[in-house]
Amino acid sequence: MSTARGRTDDGAMLHPELRAEHDPDAIIRDGRRLDHAEGASKPLRPAPEPQPRGAKVHGNRPIDQQEAAARFIAASEHEKMHDERLWDLRQKRDREMHGIPEWEELRSLASAIKEHTLTHLDDYLDEFEANARKNGIQVHWARDAAEHNRIVHDILRDHGAKSLIKSKSMLTEECGFRPYMASVGIEVIETDLGERIQQLDNEDPSHVVVPAVHKLRTDVAEVFARTIDTDPGNSDVHYLAEAQREATRPLILAADAGMTGANFVVAETGTFVVCTNEGNADLSANVPKLHIASIGIEKIVPRLEHLAVFIRLLSRSALGSPMTQYTSHFRGPRAGGEMHVVLVDNGRSERLGMAEFWTSLKCIRCGACMNTCPVYRRSGGLSYGATYSGPIGLIIDPTFNARKYSNLPFASSLNGSCSNVCPVKINIHEQIYAWRRELVKRHEVPLAKKAAMKAAGELLSRPAAYRAAIAAADTALAHLPRFVIYNGLNAWGKHREVPHSPKQTFHGWYRANRGEKT
Ligand code: SF4
């Protein structure tokens, strides 16, 4: 019998989970807590909530982000954790920002450097190539994803490489690199912990900085139990991280080649920089003798001094920390080794020519716009069904495939928070709006949505008709039976109540109190 807090008659302490007063799942009957032996209590730990999966992808058909988001929201533990974790990053970013008085100047400078570089891109790329070659780096150019994959495959084949360790790179996701390598029989091992979790779970990254942020630790325990034989009941993060380290280290040490991306490329020095928090890029680059770096052509900055501006902004914007743990400069191959850089276009030149969207190339992939976006935080990155999710995804993805990603620019409230936090001052919410117009022009918007928008446009452009419609709607709402709005067919009514309409509209009040003209 329990006497004081958790102490039994014989003085022994109960495990916290067995103390009735702290156990939310305890079953109390007639003032007495039932125990398991009576066969009536619930298990001490309820089964973990299953992880909601991402958007269903059917070839070129428009991704239904709304449907996938609804499933994520319905998984309340995941939704709550995701929202809180990302909002925490946003708050940390704000604290860092307040510690730097010249923050806004830095943002303007970063934006100006990127805009200058993008408008002189050919010159700076040539300068980088010449200097990189002087440093002993072999430089390749890839027009698109297929060419990138072929080039890397050729390099690996020339070296007889069968396994490749790799640090996180959104560009290689964009290129479908892992499936391609699997098709030619080369094993790819992701070295970033989050990315490795996603690889083992056969899922894409859901965030550009924290790829497995949508997973609960019980989800990770389930993945590791299935793939690297850990204890399925143990979701302790230290245990899981250690088990993953033990499982991956031998693969890293035995790999034939290493691959990284790059956060920045410096034209004047012919070098590139990779920022990580786990040091995994350094392992990928330095353990094998062959290092291949896949780099998007927009990553270039003119001089080394410009790098400082971006390094100060990147980690603060991304994770709310002053620096990434590792900021590694790669200057050339190590003694006896080889270094290759593949500069990839894959639609970037085309985007550079799009008057309304070219500045999206300024993006440094910090993820701040995702962390602040209320839609992204609550719907999870995999609901977008694309390489890039969140606000930056809404403006990049349609440049790859306007039909497939035609629904994405509508997954935004256009509140502008994304543009406010962007360290390189991309007018994200304005570009989202511009994409909506563009998609209508290209006939990529469903007819029902187009018809509804057209009707709304007509109504809003005729004040008298608008007022009459509002008066009619107010009367109808006051008298309609409840089931007309709150029924299973109307998703809107599931979580909302229509506010009571006031007795008098503003226009009516104005006419009554200030005269006829409104
Ligand atoms: S658009 Fe701006 S905020 Fe979003 S990931 Fe890119 S740089 Fe960061």
Side-chain angles (χ1 to χ4, degrees):
M1 189 61 113
S2 175
T3 52
R5 293 171 64 83
R7 189 169 291 280
T8 54
D9 287 340
D10 61 0
M13 289 296 288
L14 281 175
H15 185 278
E17 284 191 338
L18 295 174
R19 289 182 206 153
E21 67 268 35
H22 295 305
D23 183 357
D25 294 313
I27 297 177
I28 309 290
R29 197 171 290 157
D30 300 325
R32 193 171 71 88
R33 180 182 188 273
L34 302 184
D35 63 31
H36 281 267
E38 293 172 85
S41 64
K42 294 182 196 169
L44 286 174
R45 277 200 198 93
E49 180 181 82
Q51 186 199 323
R53 295 295 170 175
K56 294 168 187 151
V57 180
H58 305 283
N60 219 19
R61 280 207 345 231
I63 298 286
D64 191 348
Q65 194 269 347
Q66 233 181 326
E67 181 275 331
R71 279 188 284 112
F72 191 81
I73 291 167
S76 56
E77 280 180 51
H78 284 80
E79 189 253 2
K80 183 170 182 293
M81 171 279 298
H82 194 256
D83 183 23
E84 288 177 355
R85 205 179 268 179
L86 293 173
W87 186 244
D88 183 51
L89 292 182
R90 159 71 210 262
Q91 287 178 311
K92 285 183 176 143
R93 171 250 173 223
D94 288 354
R95 280 200 289 276
E96 283 297 322
M97 175 193 76
H98 290 309
I100 307 237
E102 68 276 24
W103 182 261
E104 286 306 315
E105 273 170 59
L106 275 179
R107 286 179 76 213
S108 300
L109 200 51
S111 171
I113 294 168
K114 278 281 181 185
E115 289 189 11
H116 165 81
T117 316
L118 288 167
T119 48
H120 299 78
L121 193 57
D122 48 349
D123 294 335
Y124 286 120
L125 285 169
D126 284 346
E127 187 182 346
F128 169 76
E129 182 181 20
N131 289 328
R133 287 192 192 282
K134 278 187 218 152
N135 295 337
I137 302 174
Q138 299 184 41
V139 181
H140 310 258
W141 297 85
R143 225 170 280 121
D144 53 25
E147 196 171 359
H148 163 266
N149 294 345
R150 254 195 330 269
I151 290 170
V152 178
H153 182 207
D154 287 348
I155 300 169
L156 294 173
R157 199 185 39 216
D158 290 349
H159 288 78
K162 286 281 165 210
S163 64
L164 176 79
I165 50 171
K166 168 177 175 298
S167 70
K168 187 162 67 60
S169 146
M170 292 309 293
L171 176 62
T172 55
E173 297 292 333
E174 204 181 296
C175 292
F177 179 71
R178 276 206 317 259
Y180 177 87
M181 283 291 126
S183 74
V184 295
I186 292 177
E187 186 189 14
V188 176
I189 301 124
E190 296 287 350
T191 54
D192 174 276
L193 177 59
E195 193 74 25
R196 181 67 175 161
I197 293 169
Q198 290 306 93
Q199 182 185 19
L200 292 175
D201 200 19
N202 203 19
E203 263 192 340
D204 292 335
S206 76
H207 188 283
V208 291
V209 177
V210 274
V213 69
H214 60 295
K215 278 182 160 66
L216 297 171
R217 58 201 175 105
T218 47
D219 300 326
V220 179
E222 186 275 319
V223 175
F224 283 2
R226 185 163 31 91
T227 52
I228 58 170
D229 210 20
T230 53
D231 171 4
N234 192 344
S235 58
D236 176 78
V237 288
H238 300 289
Y239 165 72
L240 293 171
E242 192 54 37
Q244 174 50 32
R245 184 202 299 265
E246 292 294 321
T248 310
R249 276 296 152 108
L251 304 176
I252 292 175
L253 295 175
D256 301 317
M259 182 182 236
T260 63
N263 294 85
F264 307 101
V265 167
V266 185
E268 79 169 338
T269 54
T271 60
F272 57 95
V273 177
V274 186
C275 306
T276 70
N277 281 308
E278 298 170 25
N280 57 303
D282 302 83
L283 284 176
S284 303
N286 292 310
V287 175
K289 285 192 171 165
L290 174 61
H291 175 192
I292 305 167
S294 293
I295 305 174
I297 54 173
E298 83 284 14
K299 297 279 174 169
I300 201 150
V301 296
R303 311 207 188 299
L304 206 51
E305 68 190 84
H306 298 142
L307 204 54
V309 176
F310 295 97
I311 297 292
R312 292 185 77 196
L313 287 168
L314 178 63
S315 190
R316 288 185 168 93
S317 301
L319 300 171
S321 59
M323 281 283 279
T324 45
Q325 304 292 325
Y326 299 85
T327 300
S328 305
H329 293 244
F330 294 100
R331 301 160 191 275
R334 61 196 245 207
E338 256 181 46
M339 185 181 280
H340 295 253
V341 163
V342 188
L343 292 167
V344 187
D345 187 315
N346 204 32
R348 285 157 174 77
S349 299
E350 200 185 327
R351 206 185 319 152
L352 195 55
M354 299 170 93
E356 288 186 288
F357 306 114
W358 72 275
T359 56
S360 63
L361 288 162
K362 294 192 289 182
C363 177
I364 57 171
R365 309 277 190 267
C366 70
C369 57
M370 305 160 95
N371 303 346
T372 199
C373 174
V375 176
Y376 175 85
R377 288 204 319 268
R378 291 178 179 90
S379 52
L382 297 179
S383 69
Y384 295 75
T387 301
Y388 300 100
S389 51
I392 183 62
L394 305 190
I395 57 178
I396 290 184
D397 295 323
T399 65
F400 291 116
N401 189 331
R403 163 145 308 166
K404 188 169 179 179
Y405 303 119
S406 56
N407 285 325
L408 297 191
F410 297 90
S412 167
S413 64
L414 298 183
N415 60 65
S417 179
C418 46
S419 306
N420 285 341
V421 298
C422 178
V424 285
K425 286 194 158 185
I426 301 174
N427 57 338
I428 307 170
H429 70 295
E430 288 170 2
Q431 291 193 36
I432 295 172
Y433 181 57
W435 260 115
R436 292 182 185 179
R437 285 200 312 263
E438 181 65 26
L439 289 165
V440 171
K441 258 194 254 160
R442 293 194 198 183
H443 307 290
E444 296 293 1
V445 171
L447 283 177
K449 189 178 275 177
K450 220 166 146 183
M453 289 299 117
K454 192 154 187 261
E458 295 284 335
L459 193 64
L460 293 170
S461 62
R462 291 182 170 75
Y466 171 75
R467 266 175 255 145
I470 289 292
D474 282 350
T475 312
L477 280 174
H479 295 95
L480 274 179
R482 197 173 159 76
F483 74 86
V484 175
I485 295 175
Y486 307 99
N487 59 57
L489 297 174
N490 183 10
W492 188 93
K494 277 188 196 155
H495 305 287
R496 303 176 181 90
E497 282 287 326
V498 179
H500 292 295
S501 50
K503 288 198 174 66
Q504 193 177 28
T505 62
F506 172 74
H507 285 115
W509 177 90
Y510 197 90
R511 212 170 26 247
N513 293 281
R514 295 282 190 275
E516 265 308 297
K517 277 199 154 190
T518 57

